[in-house]
Amino acid sequence: MHRVAISSTGLFTPPEVITNEELVAAYNQYAQLENAKHAQDIAAGSHTALVESNVEFIEKASGIQRRYVMEKSGVLDPHRMRPVFTPRPDTEISLMAEIGVKAAQAALDAAGKTAADVDSVICACANQQRAYPAMAVEIQTALGIQGYGFDMNVACSSATFGIEQAVNAVRTGSARAVLVISPEITSGHQAWIDRDCHFIFGDVCTAVLVERLDLAPAGSFEVLGTQLTTTFSNAIRNNHGFMSRSEDRDPDDRDQLFRQEGRKVFKEVCPMAAEHITGHLATLELQPAQVRRFWLHQANLSMNQLISRKILGRDATREEAPVILDEFANTASAGSIIAFHRHHADIQSGEVGVICSFGAGYSIGSVVVKRI
């Protein structure tokens, strides 16, 4: 069995930004148009008027201030309220594969590696643009990697679940190195017309290079252990899929986009995540006080504050549990990886950190690492 390391990470940041102020202005125009359209029914009590949003509500509810997106004009058009993407012919690389290649190349460059050093690609993300062929195989081929690739989806926990698959492949010797890529174009499944969640998501792509420790560059992070858990819940759900057409579903039906019971998720997931992390550390004979940094899933600031408080028995500092969601918003499976990517340079040799993501399923994945 080989010892395994995270050698590097890569980040692709989309070209456009939507601030909370822009988002609120667009949503409120949409709400006014809808309320005018249904004015008679609203007056008769048979239709519920839409309540306008505001910046203070968004920032208090989530801690989010802005988000990156691949395309903003459609999102901010009150008559459309979704991004404008141009279909690509099958002869061109797909949009998700394109940003996956960019993040992956950044990770390879950071580690001083090339495609010849990698044996596998795992495309692990919550939002995939097609059923098949696998995005991972498209990315693998575009990068010129020999070997194999596959897609996997465990919602917002996909990246950490993918890292465990990569760690196992490297540890057993079936691969020297694996790229775990998480292209999250969340704007395509975001319900921009729903006041309760129109602010939640942003687009991004991350890549993590997992390889044999003896092949990894100096300053890499040895993987001490991984741990996964799932339990079924309907509190976060998206029903869109290939069955929708046969069910004669309207693609604009509310359940064909992201939806959640936010309060229920908060109440149920926070203690689960804290117990998961504490339990995982215990299996490695580590105490929370021995952890230098917690790179947590970036869904909601209050969630992360409560989880870290339960783990440490006190409020965590921004250094102990860094936050990136104020800038990126919730980027599904990529959030904890962005936090790691942005906030690992100061970790010293021998110091320990935890990458943890949690989301629909429910699913929780954690990766405990030590700087070498």
Side-chain angles (χ1 to χ4, degrees):
M1 293 290 185
H2 298 285
R3 293 168 69 184
V4 185
I6 291 177
S7 294
S8 64
T9 55
L11 175 66
F12 167 80
T13 304
E16 299 188 333
V17 174
I18 299 178
T19 65
N20 284 348
E21 290 77 10
E22 290 176 297
L23 196 64
V24 165
Y27 175 81
N28 288 349
Q29 289 179 53
Y30 165 78
Q32 292 162 12
L33 289 169
E34 286 296 298
N35 288 342
K37 178 180 176 181
H38 299 285
Q40 289 186 336
D41 292 334
I42 291 171
S46 59
H47 190 90
T48 302
L50 295 179
V51 178
E52 293 189 5
S53 187
N54 61 76
V55 170
E56 293 73 24
F57 159 70
I58 292 173
E59 295 186 1
K60 182 179 179 180
S62 66
I64 296 167
Q65 298 177 13
R66 52 186 281 189
R67 71 282 300 142
Y68 295 97
V69 293
M70 298 300 294
E71 200 285 324
K72 67 188 284 185
S73 68
V75 174
L76 298 180
D77 180 352
H79 299 281
R80 181 179 175 87
M81 302 298 282
R82 63 186 186 275
V84 178
F85 294 143
T86 302
R88 296 184 176 189
D90 293 347
T91 53
E92 291 184 11
I93 190 170
S94 64
L95 181 57
M96 284 185 67
E98 178 182 295
I99 67 174
V101 167
K102 290 178 179 179
Q105 191 61 59
L108 291 173
D109 292 344
K113 303 287 183 174
T114 69
D117 299 308
V118 181
D119 295 320
S120 177
V121 172
I122 301 173
C123 182
C125 56
N127 307 280
Q128 294 169 351
Q129 72 178 77
R130 65 170 185 259
Y132 48 82
M135 301 298 305
V137 178
E138 185 177 14
I139 295 168
Q140 171 204 346
T141 302
L143 287 167
I145 293 172
Q146 302 299 311
Y148 65 94
F150 62 89
D151 293 351
M152 57 179 293
N153 182 347
V154 201
C156 290
S157 298
S158 295
T160 48
F161 275 60
I163 289 172
E164 183 183 68
Q165 307 315 306
V167 167
N168 290 342
V170 173
R171 180 171 286 137
T172 59
S174 66
R176 296 165 300 163
V178 180
L179 276 166
V180 180
I181 303 171
S182 301
E184 294 287 10
I185 304 181
T186 64
S187 57
H189 86 121
Q190 163 73 310
W192 300 102
I193 60 173
D194 188 330
R195 178 183 182 272
D196 289 338
C197 67
H198 75 114
F199 53 86
I200 291 179
F201 290 103
D203 298 338
V204 81
C205 185
T206 57
V208 179
L209 180 62
V210 177
E211 67 177 331
R212 280 170 36 187
L213 181 63
D214 62 306
L215 300 176
S220 297
F221 286 79
E222 182 175 6
V223 177
L224 302 182
T226 59
Q227 186 165 297
L228 313 177
T229 188
T230 55
T231 182
F232 186 73
S233 169
N234 268 323
I236 310 172
R237 194 172 179 110
N238 184 333
N239 285 334
H240 178 70
F242 70 91
M243 298 288 285
S244 298
R245 178 174 176 270
S246 297
E247 296 168 346
D248 298 325
R249 299 298 304 275
D250 183 340
D252 290 329
D253 284 349
R254 184 61 191 85
D255 74 327
Q256 299 292 289
L257 298 170
F258 167 86
R259 59 193 172 100
Q260 69 171 353
E261 299 175 59
R263 289 184 176 85
K264 183 178 182 182
V265 172
F266 187 97
K267 182 179 179 180
E268 294 178 346
V269 170
C270 288
M272 287 174 58
E275 291 170 11
H276 178 95
I277 292 171
T278 303
H280 188 188
L281 289 171
T283 66
L284 299 170
E285 300 183 345
L286 291 169
Q287 297 296 319
Q290 295 174 274
V291 176
R292 168 70 189 281
R293 187 153 297 157
F294 295 90
W295 299 284
L296 300 177
H297 172 51
Q298 303 285 310
N300 179 286
L301 180 58
S302 295
M303 286 186 74
N304 285 14
Q305 290 172 334
L306 179 56
I307 290 167
S308 57
R309 189 181 307 127
K310 285 179 175 292
I311 294 169
L312 296 171
R314 58 172 174 80
D315 290 336
T317 66
R318 286 292 183 104
E319 181 183 2
E320 292 171 315
V323 174
I324 56 89
L325 70 87
D326 52 345
E327 177 185 351
F328 286 86
N330 183 341
T331 51
S333 69
S336 59
I337 306 304
I338 301 172
F340 177 77
H341 176 84
R342 283 279 189 90
H343 298 280
H344 74 267
D346 61 329
I347 303 298
Q348 301 300 307
S349 177
E351 291 185 326
V352 173
V354 179
I355 303 169
C356 184
S357 56
F358 34 88
Y362 295 126
S363 57
I364 305 174
S366 56
V367 183
V368 180
V369 296
K370 181 175 70 174
R371 193 86 188 241
I372 59 173

